[in-house]
Amino acid sequence: MSTVTLTINGQEVTVPAGTTVLDAALGAGFFIPTFCHDPAYPGYGGCRICVVEIKGARNLPASCVTAAAPGMVVETDSPAVMEARKTILELMLANHPVDCMTCEKSGDCRLQDYAFRYEVKSSNFGGAKKEYDFDDSNPYISRDMNKCILCGKCVRTCQDVEDRGVISFAYRGFKTKVSTAMDSSLAASACVSCSRCVSVCPVGALGYNSLTGKARVWELDKEQLTCTWCDAGCLFDLVRKDGKVIGVAAKAPGEGRPLCLKGRLGLELRYNDEPLKPMMKKDDEFVEVSWTEALGLDEIMEKLK
Ligand code: SF4
Ligand code: SF4
Ligand code: SF4
C-alpha cells in the first residue's frame, strides 16, 4: 500500500495514498469541525467549515475534499482558518432562529457547539430571514426548515434508502431549501418514516415527534437493539428517560440499515411504555382513530351486518 507523509500542525503524519486532509488530521488526533461531511457519503465539500491552511495554496481549501499529498504542510487552527470559520458561522447564524433555550437539539447541536468553540455570539450580517411553516404532518418526524443549514446530509442519506430519494434541494440562492417533490408536506410524500435523515441532521431542523417536549438530550439514555420483525435485522436505539421508554430512534448510515415503517411502528408499539394512539391517513392527513378502525375491524363488522 502506497503512503504519503505530510506535516499537520508541526507533526509528521503518514497515511494511505488517497486519504483526505480531514481524515489524516482526525486520525492524528486534531480537531476539525464539519457540518456536511458524512463518512458514509464522503467528498461533498459543501459547508466549508472544515477549511485548513496549506502552505503555498492560494486559498483555504476544504479539508474533506482535499487529498493529502507528500510534503504538504497543513495548519488546522491558524489565524486565517479561525477567521474563516467564524465568518462561516456568522453567515449561518444570520439566517438562523437562535432559540436554543427551547430547541430540542440544544446540547447535541453542532452549530451551537461550534459557535461556543469559536466564540461566535451573534452575527454581523443582516438581511432577510427564512420563514417556512413547521411541518409535523408525519407522525414520527418533524421538520423546521428555518433551522436548516443546507448541509445536504439528509438528502444524501435519503437517496440511499431503497426506492426513496424523497427529499432534495429545491429553488435557488437564498430560497434554496430541502424539499419533497412539489414541496408537499412530508406526510404527502413517499417518505417511509425510516428517520435516517433525522439521525444525520447536525442541527435542530429535523426531529422526532415522539420525543418532542419530553426531555433535554442529556436526560436521554439510548440502548441499541435489533429489530426482530423480519430477518434483515435492522439496528435502532430505544430511547429512555428516567428508565421509561419514550421513543425509538434510527441509526445513522454506516451504523445499521434504516428501519422500515413496519419496524418503526411495530417497535414503538412493542416497547413504548405509554400506550400509543393509532393514526390513519385520511385526505393526506394523519388523524387519530380507534384500534378497531385501524385494524379494519369496523369495516369488517359493517360488511358482516
Ligand atoms: S438548531 Fe442548534 S443553534 Fe439552532 S436553535 Fe437549535 S440548538 Fe440552537
Ligand atoms: S424518513 Fe427516510 S424516507 Fe423519509 S425523508 Fe427521511 S430518509 Fe427519506
Ligand atoms: S435538514 Fe438537517 S441534514 Fe438536512 S440539509 Fe438541513 S441541516 Fe442538513
Side-chain angles (χ1 to χ4, degrees), residues 4-8 11-15 21 24 68-74:
V4 294
T5 299
L6 67 165
T7 304
I8 304 177
Q11 181 182 318
E12 270 204 357
V13 176
T14 301
V15 291
V21 171
M72 202 178 236
V73 178
V74 180

Side-chain angles (χ1 to χ4, degrees), residues 38 105 108 110 141 153-154 157 194-203 206-208 222 237 249-256 258 264:
D38 187 333
K105 194 76 173 177
D108 184 27
R110 287 201 192 180
I141 299 162
K153 285 171 90 173
C154 59
T157 193
C194 69
S195 307
R196 265 168 66 133
C197 51
V198 184
S199 72
V200 296
C201 184
V203 293
L206 303 175
Y208 292 106
K222 288 185 178 176
D237 283 327
K251 304 299 281 184
E255 294 180 341
R264 159 159 294 284

Side-chain angles (χ1 to χ4, degrees), residues 3 7 17 20 46 66 209 227 240 248 269:
T3 59
T7 304
T20 61
T66 304
N209 276 337
C227 177
R240 289 191 179 87
V248 167
L269 284 171

Side-chain angles (χ1 to χ4, degrees), residues 184-255:
S184 71
S185 68
L186 201 58
S189 74
C191 170
V192 286
S193 307
C194 69
S195 307
R196 265 168 66 133
C197 51
V198 184
S199 72
V200 296
C201 184
V203 293
L206 303 175
Y208 292 106
N209 276 337
S210 63
L211 303 181
T212 302
K214 289 194 178 158
R216 308 312 318 248
V217 287
W218 53 86
E219 297 174 315
L220 300 174
D221 291 316
K222 288 185 178 176
E223 182 187 1
Q224 180 176 292
L225 292 175
T226 305
C227 177
T228 50
W229 296 112
C230 81
D231 59 6
C234 303
L235 297 177
F236 66 97
D237 283 327
L238 209 53
V239 185
R240 289 191 179 87
K241 183 192 175 191
D242 300 331
K244 195 168 162 186
V245 175
I246 57 171
V248 167
K251 304 299 281 184
E255 294 180 341

Side-chain angles (χ1 to χ4, degrees), residues 96-97 99-100 103 106 109 111-112 147 203-204:
H96 190 88
D99 58 2
C100 305
C103 181
S106 186
C109 171
L111 183 53
Q112 193 185 53
K147 289 183 183 166
V203 293

